[in-house]
Amino acid sequence: MPFKIISSQCTGCSACETECPNVAIFEKGGTFVIDPKKCTECIGHFEEPQCVAVCPVDKTCVIDTSLPRYQPPA
Amino acid sequence: MLAAEPKSCGISVGGSKARCGAHSGQGDLPPAIWDKVKKHPCYSVEAHHHYARMHVAVAPACNMQCNYCNRKYDCANESRPGVTSEKLTPEQAAKKVLAVASRIPQMTVLGIAGPGDPLANPDKTFRTFELVAKAAPDIKLCLSTNGLALPDHVDTIARLNIEHVTITINMIDPEIGARIYPWIFYNHKRYSGLEAAKILTRRQLSGLEMLSARGILCKVNSVMIPGINERHLVEVNKAVKSRGAFLHNIMPLIAAPEHGTMFGLKGQRAPRTSELKALQDACEGEMNMMRHCCQCRADAVGLLGEDRSAEFTKEKIVTMTVNYDPEARKATQAGIEAERRARIMPRQEEVQEHAGGTSDIKVLIAVATKGAGLINEHFGHANEFQVYEVSQSGAKFVGHRRVDHYCQGGHGAPDDLAAIIRSINDCHAVFVARIGGRPTSELHKDGIEPVDKYAHEFIETSAIAWFSSYLEKVKSGEIQHVDRGDGAIRQDPMMSVA
Ligand code: SF4
Ligand code: SF4
Ligand code: SF4
């Protein structure tokens, strides 16, 4: 399941954009969005999802349960 | 009359003890240091009358959370909460700097102070500095940071010739830090509580040491938070002084519930002016204290206290033709320096001659001024009052109070007048170039003497002349000296006056 950003809560600060190891985050109309095809939940890169760890607004970068979990390549 | 002890504000720079006399001129500052501060409105009290600075908001991201900041608005670190700045790309920012520099030739300093942390946005921050250094090498570069990422960037700061760095340091004790910072983002992890505060203080202090070792002038900003760090800031002062900080700026916490900050929501109160001044006085000694900080927005433009950012918005910049003329700028600044040498410096000596005596009475006065060290503003047009502490040893600048214009378009609103009086309620007198009848009588009613007889004269000499006659009246029993109340610190954003 990739992460997604609740856009109504995003302040557009851009902190997550530079931390994402997969360049999955980009600006759209003043707030930020995650490309679910690129998000790897930071698995293999870092202990915690970077967008969650850096975002100043609680519960703004959340897991998208409607999509399947990311499978690290074997 | 006894000769006055000149007030010294010795500072150690690179090991050599320096004094800066009456706080304003070169004093005994080594020439290399004087050269760095004389045109910087934040590093030299005197310079802020003559030289302007600007901030560009290229750095929106932050790497930690402070309880006095609400990221939904601006960063409270260096900009007033509740005011959103427009964000610029480095290219837009560089164009804006040139547009401002060509229209305001006394603009000498470009600072990057957020709205987030400039070093959490290193690419945007350094790219902006690089572009400006190339196009306008005469502009001084200045950076404000929370210090968390500082040690990683000291080499770049030195390489880009950034001469001034401000670090916001509110504690050196992690127990206190844990009450100010909910979390930090460091090494790809979120840390909270004591652990976060320990990392932060270690990084801030080592960053400061590394900068001092390279001869980069460092200012430390501290936010005074009553009940949390107010006594501790004396320790902070010692710690930063011993690591080579040049200037310490203790600012009052700004936290109203409507700002939505953690402190605002929890009802954390702001300091009173008397508490702020007592703390600043306690820290003054070996090190300069900055008392003229305006807690500017991250996109402020112009002289301190006179925000012209509305003239230089993103849309307006696009249409502006930039005619950057370094020679014209040099000529204007040379004119300012000649004026300072000819008129302002000798005044310091005059002040020393007039001063002296044995009374230990001290009073505060508020001054309406447009700069140049003169009492040259109409009471109703002032958007700030400068506060001086006057005693027989002289007049010392101790702070300023921002107010709304009382008479916009000729009529004064009674509420505004009451707010102005509240903000200078700790002063015995207010010096103005002119004042109307109603404010005169209201001020008298509240026990503040309006003084307009020194219109267009120098502040310090006038203050001392007035003070001598005040003391005489006290001696003769015509008036009784009483202490005054507290002034109110404004909790709302600094709006543009343009
Ligand atoms: S979880 Fe990691 S990979 Fe996914 S968007 Fe956030 S930072 Fe990028
Ligand atoms: S860090 Fe959070 S608030 Fe900032 S841009 Fe990313 S999602 Fe938005
Ligand atoms: S915030 Fe304070 S230090 Fe920064 S430019 Fe304004 S007055 Fe100077």
Side-chain angles (χ1 to χ4, degrees), chain A residues 5-38:
Chain A
I5 291 168
I6 313 285
S7 80
S8 60
Q9 299 187 166
C10 172
T11 65
C13 74
S14 79
C16 55
E17 185 192 20
T18 41
E19 299 303 335
C20 175
N22 297 310
V23 204
I25 306 179
F26 57 95
E27 190 173 348
K28 198 177 160 195
T31 59
F32 282 76
V33 288
I34 293 172
D35 178 349
K37 291 195 286 302
K38 288 190 181 164

CSV table of all heavy atoms in Angstrom, one decimal, chain A residues 5-38:
chain,number,residue,atom,x,y,z
A,5,ILE,N,-1.4,11.6,0.4
A,5,ILE,CA,-1.4,12.8,1.2
A,5,ILE,C,-2.9,13.3,1.2
A,5,ILE,O,-3.5,13.4,0.2
A,5,ILE,CB,-0.5,13.9,0.6
A,5,ILE,CG1,1.0,13.5,0.8
A,5,ILE,CG2,-0.7,15.3,1.2
A,5,ILE,CD1,2.0,14.3,0.0
A,6,ILE,N,-3.4,13.6,2.5
A,6,ILE,CA,-4.7,14.2,2.6
A,6,ILE,C,-4.6,15.7,2.2
A,6,ILE,O,-4.0,16.5,3.0
A,6,ILE,CB,-5.2,14.1,4.0
A,6,ILE,CG1,-5.0,12.7,4.6
A,6,ILE,CG2,-6.7,14.6,4.1
A,6,ILE,CD1,-6.0,11.6,4.1
A,7,SER,N,-5.0,16.0,1.0
A,7,SER,CA,-4.6,17.3,0.5
A,7,SER,C,-5.3,18.5,1.2
A,7,SER,O,-4.7,19.6,1.3
A,7,SER,CB,-4.9,17.4,-1.0
A,7,SER,OG,-6.2,17.7,-1.2
A,8,SER,N,-6.4,18.2,1.9
A,8,SER,CA,-7.0,19.3,2.6
A,8,SER,C,-6.2,19.7,3.8
A,8,SER,O,-6.4,20.8,4.4
A,8,SER,CB,-8.5,18.9,3.0
A,8,SER,OG,-8.4,17.8,3.9
A,9,GLN,N,-5.3,18.8,4.3
A,9,GLN,CA,-4.5,19.2,5.4
A,9,GLN,C,-3.1,19.6,5.1
A,9,GLN,O,-2.4,20.2,5.9
A,9,GLN,CB,-4.4,17.9,6.3
A,9,GLN,CG,-5.7,17.5,6.8
A,9,GLN,CD,-5.7,16.4,7.8
A,9,GLN,OE1,-6.7,16.1,8.5
A,9,GLN,NE2,-4.6,15.7,8.0
A,10,CYS,N,-2.7,19.4,3.8
A,10,CYS,CA,-1.3,19.7,3.4
A,10,CYS,C,-1.1,21.2,3.4
A,10,CYS,O,-1.9,21.9,2.8
A,10,CYS,CB,-1.1,19.1,2.1
A,10,CYS,SG,0.5,19.6,1.3
A,11,THR,N,0.0,21.7,4.1
A,11,THR,CA,0.2,23.1,4.1
A,11,THR,C,1.1,23.5,2.9
A,11,THR,O,1.5,24.7,2.7
A,11,THR,CB,1.0,23.5,5.3
A,11,THR,OG1,2.3,22.9,5.3
A,11,THR,CG2,0.3,23.1,6.6
A,12,GLY,N,1.5,22.5,2.1
A,12,GLY,CA,2.3,22.9,0.9
A,12,GLY,C,3.7,23.3,1.3
A,12,GLY,O,4.4,23.9,0.5
A,13,CYS,N,4.2,22.8,2.4
A,13,CYS,CA,5.5,23.3,2.9
A,13,CYS,C,6.6,22.6,2.1
A,13,CYS,O,7.7,23.1,2.1
A,13,CYS,CB,5.7,22.9,4.4
A,13,CYS,SG,6.0,21.2,4.7
A,14,SER,N,6.4,21.5,1.4
A,14,SER,CA,7.4,20.9,0.5
A,14,SER,C,8.4,20.0,1.3
A,14,SER,O,9.3,19.5,0.6
A,14,SER,CB,8.0,21.8,-0.4
A,14,SER,OG,9.1,22.6,0.2
A,15,ALA,N,8.3,19.9,2.6
A,15,ALA,CA,9.3,19.2,3.3
A,15,ALA,C,9.4,17.7,2.8
A,15,ALA,O,10.5,17.2,2.7
A,15,ALA,CB,9.0,19.2,4.8
A,16,CYS,N,8.2,17.1,2.5
A,16,CYS,CA,8.2,15.7,2.1
A,16,CYS,C,8.9,15.5,0.8
A,16,CYS,O,9.5,14.5,0.5
A,16,CYS,CB,6.8,15.2,2.1
A,16,CYS,SG,5.7,16.1,1.1
A,17,GLU,N,8.7,16.5,-0.1
A,17,GLU,CA,9.1,16.4,-1.5
A,17,GLU,C,10.6,16.0,-1.5
A,17,GLU,O,11.0,15.1,-2.2
A,17,GLU,CB,8.9,17.7,-2.2
A,17,GLU,CG,9.2,17.6,-3.7
A,17,GLU,CD,9.2,19.0,-4.3
A,17,GLU,OE1,9.4,20.0,-3.6
A,17,GLU,OE2,9.0,19.1,-5.6
A,18,THR,N,11.5,16.7,-0.8
A,18,THR,CA,12.9,16.5,-0.9
A,18,THR,C,13.3,15.2,-0.2
A,18,THR,O,14.4,14.7,-0.4
A,18,THR,CB,13.7,17.7,-0.4
A,18,THR,OG1,13.1,18.2,0.8
A,18,THR,CG2,13.8,18.8,-1.4
A,19,GLU,N,12.5,14.8,0.8
A,19,GLU,CA,12.9,13.6,1.6
A,19,GLU,C,12.6,12.3,0.9
A,19,GLU,O,13.2,11.2,1.2
A,19,GLU,CB,12.3,13.6,3.0
A,19,GLU,CG,12.7,14.8,3.8
A,19,GLU,CD,14.2,15.0,4.0
A,19,GLU,OE1,14.9,13.9,3.9
A,19,GLU,OE2,14.6,16.1,4.3
A,20,CYS,N,11.7,12.3,0.0
A,20,CYS,CA,11.2,11.0,-0.6
A,20,CYS,C,12.3,10.4,-1.5
A,20,CYS,O,12.8,11.0,-2.4
A,20,CYS,CB,10.0,11.2,-1.5
A,20,CYS,SG,9.5,9.7,-2.4
A,21,PRO,N,12.8,9.2,-1.2
A,21,PRO,CA,13.9,8.6,-1.9
A,21,PRO,C,13.5,8.2,-3.3
A,21,PRO,O,14.4,7.9,-4.1
A,21,PRO,CB,14.2,7.3,-1.1
A,21,PRO,CG,12.9,7.0,-0.4
A,21,PRO,CD,12.2,8.3,-0.1
A,22,ASN,N,12.2,8.2,-3.6
A,22,ASN,CA,11.8,7.7,-4.9
A,22,ASN,C,11.3,8.8,-5.8
A,22,ASN,O,10.7,8.6,-6.9
A,22,ASN,CB,10.7,6.6,-4.8
A,22,ASN,CG,11.3,5.4,-4.1
A,22,ASN,OD1,12.4,4.9,-4.5
A,22,ASN,ND2,10.6,5.0,-3.0
A,23,VAL,N,11.4,10.1,-5.4
A,23,VAL,CA,10.9,11.2,-6.1
A,23,VAL,C,9.4,11.0,-6.5
A,23,VAL,O,9.0,11.2,-7.6
A,23,VAL,CB,11.7,11.5,-7.4
A,23,VAL,CG1,11.6,13.0,-7.8
A,23,VAL,CG2,13.2,11.2,-7.1
A,24,ALA,N,8.7,10.4,-5.5
A,24,ALA,CA,7.3,10.1,-5.8
A,24,ALA,C,6.3,11.3,-5.5
A,24,ALA,O,5.1,11.2,-5.7
A,24,ALA,CB,6.9,8.9,-4.9
A,25,ILE,N,6.9,12.3,-4.9
A,25,ILE,CA,6.0,13.4,-4.4
A,25,ILE,C,6.2,14.7,-5.2
A,25,ILE,O,7.3,15.1,-5.6
A,25,ILE,CB,6.4,13.7,-2.9
A,25,ILE,CG1,6.3,12.4,-2.1
A,25,ILE,CG2,5.4,14.8,-2.3
A,25,ILE,CD1,6.6,12.6,-0.6
A,26,PHE,N,5.1,15.2,-5.7
A,26,PHE,CA,5.2,16.4,-6.5
A,26,PHE,C,4.0,17.4,-6.1
A,26,PHE,O,3.1,17.0,-5.5
A,26,PHE,CB,5.2,16.1,-8.0
A,26,PHE,CG,4.0,15.3,-8.4
A,26,PHE,CD1,2.9,16.0,-8.9
A,26,PHE,CD2,3.9,13.9,-8.3
A,26,PHE,CE1,1.8,15.2,-9.3
A,26,PHE,CE2,2.8,13.2,-8.7
A,26,PHE,CZ,1.7,13.8,-9.2
A,27,GLU,N,4.2,18.6,-6.6
A,27,GLU,CA,3.3,19.7,-6.2
A,27,GLU,C,2.1,19.7,-7.2
A,27,GLU,O,2.3,19.4,-8.4
A,27,GLU,CB,4.0,21.1,-6.3
A,27,GLU,CG,3.1,22.2,-5.7
A,27,GLU,CD,3.8,23.5,-5.6
A,27,GLU,OE1,5.1,23.5,-5.7
A,27,GLU,OE2,3.1,24.5,-5.3
A,28,LYS,N,0.9,19.9,-6.7
A,28,LYS,CA,-0.2,20.0,-7.6
A,28,LYS,C,-1.2,21.0,-7.0
A,28,LYS,O,-1.7,20.8,-5.9
A,28,LYS,CB,-0.9,18.6,-7.7
A,28,LYS,CG,-1.8,18.5,-8.9
A,28,LYS,CD,-2.3,17.1,-8.9
A,28,LYS,CE,-3.6,17.0,-9.8
A,28,LYS,NZ,-4.3,15.8,-9.6
A,29,GLY,N,-1.2,22.2,-7.6
A,29,GLY,CA,-2.1,23.2,-7.2
A,29,GLY,C,-1.9,23.7,-5.7
A,29,GLY,O,-2.8,23.9,-5.0
A,30,GLY,N,-0.6,23.9,-5.4
A,30,GLY,CA,-0.4,24.4,-4.1
A,30,GLY,C,-0.2,23.4,-3.0
A,30,GLY,O,0.4,23.7,-1.9
A,31,THR,N,-0.7,22.2,-3.1
A,31,THR,CA,-0.4,21.2,-2.1
A,31,THR,C,0.4,20.0,-2.8
A,31,THR,O,0.7,20.1,-4.0
A,31,THR,CB,-1.7,20.6,-1.5
A,31,THR,OG1,-2.5,20.1,-2.5
A,31,THR,CG2,-2.5,21.7,-0.8
A,32,PHE,N,0.7,19.0,-2.1
A,32,PHE,CA,1.5,17.9,-2.6
A,32,PHE,C,0.8,16.6,-2.7
A,32,PHE,O,-0.1,16.3,-2.0
A,32,PHE,CB,2.8,17.8,-1.8
A,32,PHE,CG,3.8,18.9,-2.1
A,32,PHE,CD1,3.6,20.2,-1.6
A,32,PHE,CD2,4.9,18.7,-2.9
A,32,PHE,CE1,4.4,21.2,-1.9
A,32,PHE,CE2,5.7,19.7,-3.2
A,32,PHE,CZ,5.5,21.0,-2.7
A,33,VAL,N,1.2,15.8,-3.7
A,33,VAL,CA,0.6,14.5,-3.9
A,33,VAL,C,1.6,13.5,-4.1
A,33,VAL,O,2.8,13.8,-4.5
A,33,VAL,CB,-0.4,14.5,-5.1
A,33,VAL,CG1,-1.7,15.3,-4.9
A,33,VAL,CG2,0.3,15.0,-6.4
A,34,ILE,N,1.3,12.2,-3.9
A,34,ILE,CA,2.2,11.1,-4.0
A,34,ILE,C,1.8,10.3,-5.2
A,34,ILE,O,0.6,9.9,-5.4
A,34,ILE,CB,2.2,10.2,-2.8
A,34,ILE,CG1,2.8,11.0,-1.6
A,34,ILE,CG2,3.0,8.9,-3.0
A,34,ILE,CD1,2.6,10.3,-0.2
A,35,ASP,N,2.7,9.9,-6.1
A,35,ASP,CA,2.4,9.1,-7.2
A,35,ASP,C,2.5,7.6,-6.7
A,35,ASP,O,3.6,7.1,-6.3
A,35,ASP,CB,3.5,9.3,-8.3
A,35,ASP,CG,3.3,8.3,-9.4
A,35,ASP,OD1,2.5,7.4,-9.3
A,35,ASP,OD2,4.0,8.6,-10.5
A,36,PRO,N,1.3,6.9,-6.6
A,36,PRO,CA,1.3,5.6,-5.9
A,36,PRO,C,2.2,4.6,-6.6
A,36,PRO,O,2.6,3.6,-6.0
A,36,PRO,CB,-0.2,5.2,-6.0
A,36,PRO,CG,-0.8,6.1,-7.0
A,36,PRO,CD,0.0,7.3,-7.1
A,37,LYS,N,2.4,4.8,-7.9
A,37,LYS,CA,3.2,3.9,-8.7
A,37,LYS,C,4.7,3.9,-8.3
A,37,LYS,O,5.5,3.0,-8.4
A,37,LYS,CB,3.1,4.1,-10.2
A,37,LYS,CG,1.7,3.7,-10.7
A,37,LYS,CD,1.6,3.6,-12.2
A,37,LYS,CE,1.6,4.9,-12.9
A,37,LYS,NZ,0.5,5.8,-12.6
A,38,LYS,N,5.1,5.1,-7.7
A,38,LYS,CA,6.5,5.2,-7.4
A,38,LYS,C,6.8,5.0,-5.9
A,38,LYS,O,7.9,4.7,-5.5
A,38,LYS,CB,7.0,6.7,-7.7
A,38,LYS,CG,7.1,6.9,-9.2
A,38,LYS,CD,7.8,8.3,-9.4
A,38,LYS,CE,8.0,8.6,-10.9
A,38,LYS,NZ,8.3,10.0,-11.0
